[in-house]
Amino acid sequence: MPKIAAVIVAAGQGQRAGGGLPKQFRPLVGIPVLRRSVEAFAALPEIGTIVVVAAAERRPDCERVLACLPRLAYATGGVARQDSVRNGLAALESHAPDFVLVHDAARPLVSQALIRRVIAALISGAVAAVPLLAVTDTLKRKEQGAWTTVSREGLYRAQTPQGFRFESLLEAHWGWTGAEATDDMAIAERTGLAITRIDGEDTNLKITTEEDLVHAAKLLGETMSEFRTGLGFDAHRFTTGDHVWLCGVRIAHDAGLEGHSDADAGLHALTDAILGAIGAGDIGRHFPPTEERWRGAPSSHFLAHAADLVRQPNGAVVHCDVTLVCEKPKIAPHREAMRARIAEILAIDISRVSVKATTTEGMGFVGRGEGLAAQAVATVRLPAA
């Protein structure tokens, strides 16, 4: 099997989409544009290293948005798009892939079927494979105040991902001396690489303006119209120790929590809630406490796994609400940190995360200080059955 890598170009400023953030970090139906784009590639096992190219000052934002995705590497963006792609290719040299796919982060609706069509063309012998769509609208040009109709015969719209033999594209980039190139096909065609046309997709739109975000959300809404709710509960007894983990946050305490993993009752309850919403059993089914490899494991792994299961059919976690039930430790000083950590693991906006706390007024095992409990509710959006 050939080695296949991907370069996701996310170094642009993208301010025309508004919102005060580069477009690749704007939420699209609750999930950042960049994460949607990268997830499409990360979900394909035939793709190895995925290099995300971003501005140096945006690297922390990328790591936050892409938390828990596999096989990622990073490169720093350049002045122009071709500089950013060249930096991404340079980061791949040590991996020596046979083929590379270059994709704009601003195309978050790219389908796995389209990605696989590009890969198939490369494996079949193409040097360069580019998704193209024939222009169907009537084209007009205004010259000296007058309108003329332009023939659309032979005109196409180029999309990404654009696939290449790695060494061929790398050589083309290092030898490029032309003006700014808006895509890699421009570099390939001017350096003599043979280009194979792949059928593009109308839904593979590029986010440029606020209107594009609205349109993309409507496209997603056509297939993501079923909502489900899941409920989770977990409890752990106190044991010797000097800290507890709750909702992904380490809290100093005069006791620990007993459990096979890190005993984070909040994340365990939330994981079960998400698994319940999609009918995927419970946390013990996916991470059996009888398996030694999960001893002391951070519960963020469990929650990220549940979120990935939701995304596989193009679903999304819409909202979650965690209630911690304990006499101590005090939760209020850590509530915002907990919300932020859960949002990071799930890759959703913090406004979609709620963390609350209550006591049992001295009643029961919680009231006696023997342990604590947590319950959670999660709402997910899935493709309509």
Side-chain angles (χ1 to χ4, degrees):
M1 184 69 183
K3 293 177 64 177
I4 304 168
V7 173
I8 311 296
V9 187
Q13 292 304 308
Q15 295 296 334
R16 279 185 287 174
L21 283 173
K23 58 191 175 186
Q24 58 268 34
F25 297 107
R26 293 285 304 279
L28 174 57
V29 194
I31 298 175
V33 168
L34 174 60
R35 185 171 184 106
R36 285 190 178 276
S37 297
V38 176
E39 279 184 341
F41 292 82
L44 298 179
E46 58 263 49
I47 296 178
T49 304
I50 302 169
V51 175
V52 178
V53 186
E57 65 273 16
R58 290 293 181 181
R59 172 73 177 270
D61 295 321
C62 286
E63 293 178 345
R64 172 180 55 81
V65 164
L66 301 175
C68 301
L69 289 183
R71 310 187 303 280
L72 296 187
Y74 293 92
T76 302
V79 175
R81 185 186 186 278
Q82 65 258 32
D83 301 320
S84 295
V85 175
R86 187 168 59 247
N87 291 347
L89 296 175
L92 282 172
E93 282 193 275
S94 62
H95 298 272
D98 299 295
F99 305 123
V100 62
L101 309 181
V102 182
H103 184 65
D104 292 328
R107 292 186 184 271
L109 304 188
V110 60
S111 72
Q112 293 179 14
L114 176 57
I115 297 171
R116 283 191 159 130
R117 287 202 298 275
V118 175
I119 292 173
L122 294 171
I123 293 175
S124 296
V127 177
V130 178
L132 296 169
L133 282 174
V135 173
T136 57
D137 293 328
T138 298
L139 300 178
K140 302 291 184 179
R141 176 186 288 123
K142 189 174 185 180
E143 294 180 328
Q144 299 179 345
W147 292 100
T148 58
T149 300
V150 179
S151 173
R152 62 192 178 210
E153 184 177 355
L155 294 181
Y156 294 85
R157 292 184 287 138
Q159 299 181 326
T160 66
Q162 298 179 1
F164 305 87
R165 292 181 186 172
F166 178 74
E167 292 296 337
S168 297
L169 183 62
L170 185 63
E171 182 179 348
H173 266 274
W174 283 119
W176 177 254
T177 58
E180 182 173 344
T182 56
D183 70 355
D184 295 277
M185 180 177 173
I187 294 176
E189 63 196 27
R190 293 191 188 182
T191 52
L193 297 184
I195 296 168
T196 299
R197 176 194 169 188
I198 304 300
D199 289 335
E201 296 177 343
D202 280 322
T203 53
N204 185 25
L205 79 164
K206 185 175 183 180
I207 303 297
T208 302
T209 66
E210 185 74 33
E211 289 73 20
D212 294 331
L213 279 168
V214 173
H215 182 44
K218 289 180 179 178
L219 289 174
L220 284 171
E222 291 177 0
T223 58
M224 299 175 69
S225 56
E226 180 176 317
F227 291 84
R228 299 185 188 179
T229 301
L231 176 67
F233 177 84
D234 193 40
H236 287 276
R237 68 175 71 246
F238 285 121
T239 186
T240 56
D242 61 3
H243 71 277
V244 297
W245 283 96
L246 287 174
C247 293
V249 176
R250 189 182 193 274
I251 301 174
H253 191 46
D254 58 8
L257 286 172
E258 185 178 294
H260 187 67
S261 63
D262 62 5
D264 189 328
L267 293 192
H268 290 181
L270 181 53
T271 299
D272 267 351
I274 294 174
L275 292 174
I278 61 175
D282 59 21
I283 195 170
R285 171 183 166 187
H286 296 263
F287 304 96
T290 54
E291 293 189 11
E292 190 62 24
R293 59 177 170 155
W294 304 124
R295 182 175 297 280
S299 297
S300 58
H301 291 352
F302 309 157
L303 183 58
H305 171 74
D308 285 342
L309 292 179
V310 174
R311 295 189 191 99
Q312 284 178 14
N314 203 26
V317 177
V318 176
H319 179 264
C320 60
D321 183 12
V322 180
T323 300
L324 300 171
V325 186
C326 57
E327 300 291 335
K328 58 181 181 178
K330 296 297 182 183
I331 302 302
H334 309 284
R335 180 180 290 112
E336 292 309 307
M338 292 176 177
R339 294 181 65 214
R341 180 57 179 146
I342 291 172
E344 178 183 24
I345 297 167
L346 296 178
I348 61 177
D349 191 80
I350 193 172
S351 65
R352 298 176 180 269
V353 179
S354 171
V355 174
K356 308 189 302 294
T358 189
T359 70
T360 60
E361 301 293 339
M363 298 180 291
F365 76 92
V366 171
R368 293 191 298 270
E370 297 172 6
L372 55 76
Q375 68 177 23
V377 177
T379 302
V380 303
R381 182 190 291 110
L382 294 174

